[in-house]
Amino acid sequence: MLKPTVGPILGHITTDEARVFLRGKLHESALTFAGIRYRVRGEERWSKGIFAKLDATRDMSDVIVIRGLGHDTDYEYQAGWFNTTNVEHTVKSVHELPLQWPQELYRLRTRSGSAGTPRAYFVGSCRYLRMTAGIPSAPHLGDRIFASITQMAQQAEPPVSAMLMTGDQIYVDDLNFFAPDREFQQILAKYRAAFSQPNISRLMANVSTYMILDDHEIEDNWPKNKRPSDNILYTNAITAYELYQASHSPAFEILHDGRISRNPKHYWYQFTDGDIEWFVTDSRSRRNLSADDRRILDVEQENALCQWLISSPARVKMIVTSVMFFPDAKQDGDDAWAGFPGQRLRLLETIRSHRLKNVIFVSGDVHGSLTSRLTHSEDPDFEVHTIVSSPLCNSRLLPHARRSSFILDQPLVRNDAGEYRQELTGKVISQDNFAHLVIDAERIQVNYHDQEGKLLQSTDIDLR
């Protein structure tokens, strides 16, 4: 067996299941299979292999689901792929082959259902990797920050539960003015290059990774500047997104035979980690820009989000939105929640009227990182926070955001009940960075680190 050409990528993990994405390579006169085997860390005996047949329609990739795991348990696994010229082979018959597995070991840890246990997460967005004629240009620049994240993951206490990548994991439009990529194979090549760099590959093989798209997975400020000819671009970009980002997330259902569904109903999803729950919104592909019903989330998603906010018993509720919920940016603010004030106010009023506590919005997009707090002039019990982490790697052609980039000298919104007032709770980080969140019984500690892992700033959000 050979090492995966992309992956393994450790995706959604529960108390008893884990999803692993991996890719092989096409051989025109042979069948291609990918496989995984696993064992409890420290034991000698391996499980039977779990195999998937790969085909070109999915760019020789698939997601393998490991089921029946023990909760709160450390495992190690191996992953690989191989060709066979015996066209009669199936995922069952290849168990009998004398396979030699790749020697590299990867780790995964299942979730714990216990409440009150401290947990940690990484958050990042906007990873720029320029491609020229299909080849990454200076790829080490877009990959080096992941070496620091991996090193921190190996040493972190409490252990890191997951990495949240909140948008712009690739830039389909990185050369938009000169030679925009629009064809399916061009976009797939960007994913293969971006996700196979050594440091990000090592991180995603050992830390559960959750992703959601933003505009650059399709086109800058999508769909504001959409043209009729962009329908093909959207189809190609979103199909590639499904393969490489959404397929290993909870957005794809597991069928009765253990395989992943090929037809997701939507790209937003939820996952649970003890008494902490995450709702990862799709704030990009379901937008309605019409004047009479302007929405950044479609009706079904807004209803699901509000119902989750009201009914979930989670102690901490984390809402991921690829674009900023607040504060508003002075330039291109209408591409984020500022451009959809009616829907934003409905969400805020839902949180306030139901007296919900410990609601945190997590986002990226703006090429600057910050924490901020929202209060209400007439309701002292209302408090909402935002955590912004961006970028993992900026383009040299684009500036980093600064404090002066945001509207901070006026209320976020007013209505008959009063004013929603905003304030920064730390400095604006104006360089490449990532966030390390530690959530315990009393607070969320937000630690921003630079490319080398050096601590830039630490801010505490007190839980109520």
Side-chain angles (χ1 to χ4, degrees):
M1 297 180 72
L2 301 172
K3 184 179 178 180
T5 59
V6 180
I9 298 174
L10 191 57
H12 178 47
I13 293 179
T14 69
T15 55
D16 60 358
E17 292 182 346
R19 306 185 188 200
V20 184
F21 169 99
L22 66 171
R23 180 182 183 273
K25 192 174 182 180
L26 177 66
H27 191 294
E28 292 184 359
S29 60
L31 299 181
T32 304
F33 292 87
I36 287 173
R37 67 176 184 177
Y38 63 95
R39 65 188 177 190
V40 174
R41 192 167 181 234
E43 294 187 356
E44 293 187 8
R45 185 177 179 182
W46 288 99
S47 71
K48 287 186 175 181
I50 308 172
F51 296 95
K53 184 181 176 183
L54 307 181
D55 64 75
T57 62
R58 296 181 59 79
D59 197 36
M60 304 305 293
S61 71
D62 209 339
V63 175
I64 293 177
V65 182
I66 307 173
R67 312 180 87 173
L69 301 174
H71 78 282
D72 197 20
T73 303
D74 276 315
Y75 291 87
E76 56 189 13
Y77 69 100
Q78 293 176 314
W81 65 278
F82 63 94
N83 297 126
T84 174
T85 55
N86 185 342
V87 296
E88 302 298 322
H89 268 309
T90 67
V91 292
K92 292 184 178 180
S93 67
V94 294
H95 283 93
E96 309 304 322
L97 296 175
L99 298 172
Q100 184 174 354
W101 291 80
Q103 291 300 302
E104 189 161 1
L105 297 177
Y106 310 101
R107 294 181 58 182
L108 71 88
R109 184 178 181 86
T110 50
R111 301 278 185 254
S112 166
S114 63
T117 303
R119 288 174 166 83
Y121 307 90
F122 293 127
V123 177
S125 66
C126 306
R127 184 275 187 108
Y128 187 82
L129 186 73
R130 175 177 290 176
M131 300 278 288
T132 303
I135 300 172
S137 175
H140 63 282
L141 298 178
D143 192 47
R144 65 182 181 182
I145 197 168
F146 296 104
S148 300
I149 301 174
T150 299
Q151 183 177 14
M152 186 172 295
Q154 294 169 344
Q155 302 169 352
E157 185 57 44
V160 176
S161 292
M163 171 86 182
L164 279 296
M165 294 187 177
T166 65
D168 297 341
Q169 279 67 254
I170 70 159
Y171 281 64
V172 168
D173 58 344
D174 62 344
L175 294 176
N176 220 24
F177 293 107
F178 306 103
D181 286 334
R182 305 177 67 86
E183 300 302 321
F184 188 47
Q185 290 302 322
Q186 292 176 321
I187 298 171
L188 290 176
K190 287 199 167 180
Y191 274 106
R192 291 195 293 262
F195 287 0
S196 62
Q197 299 303 313
N199 293 322
I200 191 175
S201 182
R202 190 176 304 112
L203 174 68
M204 295 194 300
N206 294 280
V207 175
S208 178
T209 304
Y210 294 86
M211 304 175 181
I212 193 64
L213 80 163
D214 198 23
D215 54 342
H216 291 289
E217 275 89 356
I218 309 166
E219 189 175 64
D220 188 31
N221 285 353
W222 181 269
K224 180 181 178 181
N225 300 321
K226 178 184 176 183
R227 299 161 295 178
S229 61
D230 285 339
N231 288 332
I232 294 176
L233 164 65
Y234 179 78
T235 298
N236 291 337
I238 211 68
T239 302
Y241 167 75
E242 287 186 3
L243 288 178
Y244 278 91
Q245 296 199 55
S247 63
H248 45 83
S249 80
F252 278 66
E253 296 179 351
I254 299 178
L255 303 175
H256 68 279
D257 61 359
R259 294 184 298 114
I260 295 291
S261 167
R262 301 293 192 231
N263 299 299
K265 297 177 182 177
H266 45 68
Y267 300 135
W268 49 269
Y269 58 86
Q270 301 164 232
F271 69 94
T272 301
D273 190 13
D275 55 1
I276 301 167
E277 291 188 7
W278 293 76
F279 194 113
V280 181
T281 67
D282 170 13
S283 55
R284 184 57 66 178
S285 79
R286 296 288 187 96
R287 296 186 177 202
N288 186 342
L289 302 183
S290 64
D292 58 342
D293 187 27
R294 191 170 172 85
R295 291 176 170 273
I296 194 169
L297 309 181
D298 57 282
V299 175
E300 179 188 7
Q301 186 177 182
E302 180 183 348
N303 290 340
L305 175 56
C306 289
Q307 187 59 41
W308 171 78
L309 280 167
I310 295 166
S311 62
S312 168
R315 180 175 62 92
V316 182
K317 298 175 183 178
M318 311 287 285
I319 303 173
V320 174
T321 167
S322 58
V323 293
M324 286 180 60
F325 196 73
F326 72 92
D328 295 336
K330 292 179 179 178
Q331 294 185 348
D332 293 326
D334 62 348
D335 184 57
W337 282 86
F340 305 84
Q343 191 169 49
R344 178 166 63 179
L345 182 58
R346 287 197 301 272
L347 283 177
L348 290 174
E349 287 292 282
T350 296
I351 296 168
R352 191 176 70 84
S353 63
H354 289 273
R355 310 189 75 79
L356 303 176
K357 300 183 185 301
N358 302 330
V359 177
I360 314 295
F361 287 88
V362 179
S363 62
D365 181 53
V366 294
H367 292 200
S369 292
L370 59 91
T371 58
S372 57
R373 176 174 176 257
L374 195 67
T375 56
H376 194 273
S377 62
E378 309 302 321
D379 188 346
D381 287 335
F382 174 84
E383 182 177 284
V384 166
H385 290 263
T386 187
I387 300 169
V388 181
S389 181
S390 169
L392 291 162
C393 179
N394 200 7
S395 165
R396 294 179 178 178
L397 302 176
L398 298 174
H400 288 89
R402 302 181 181 279
R403 180 187 176 92
S404 59
S405 304
F406 304 102
I407 302 172
L408 300 168
D409 58 351
Q410 61 190 52
L412 184 72
V413 62
R414 297 182 179 91
N415 67 358
D416 293 341
E419 296 178 346
Y420 285 95
R421 297 172 175 172
Q422 56 192 333
E423 62 176 338
L424 294 180
T425 53
K427 297 183 298 182
V428 175
I429 305 295
S430 301
Q431 64 186 88
D432 293 359
N433 71 95
F434 65 94
H436 174 219
L437 314 184
V438 179
I439 305 177
D440 61 24
E442 298 179 349
R443 68 184 63 84
I444 301 175
Q445 187 178 70
V446 184
N447 303 308
Y448 290 111
H449 298 263
D450 68 10
Q451 287 184 332
E452 308 305 322
K454 178 184 176 182
L455 181 65
L456 297 171
Q457 177 173 284
S458 184
T459 302
D460 285 349
I461 299 173
D462 292 331
L463 297 175
R464 299 181 292 158

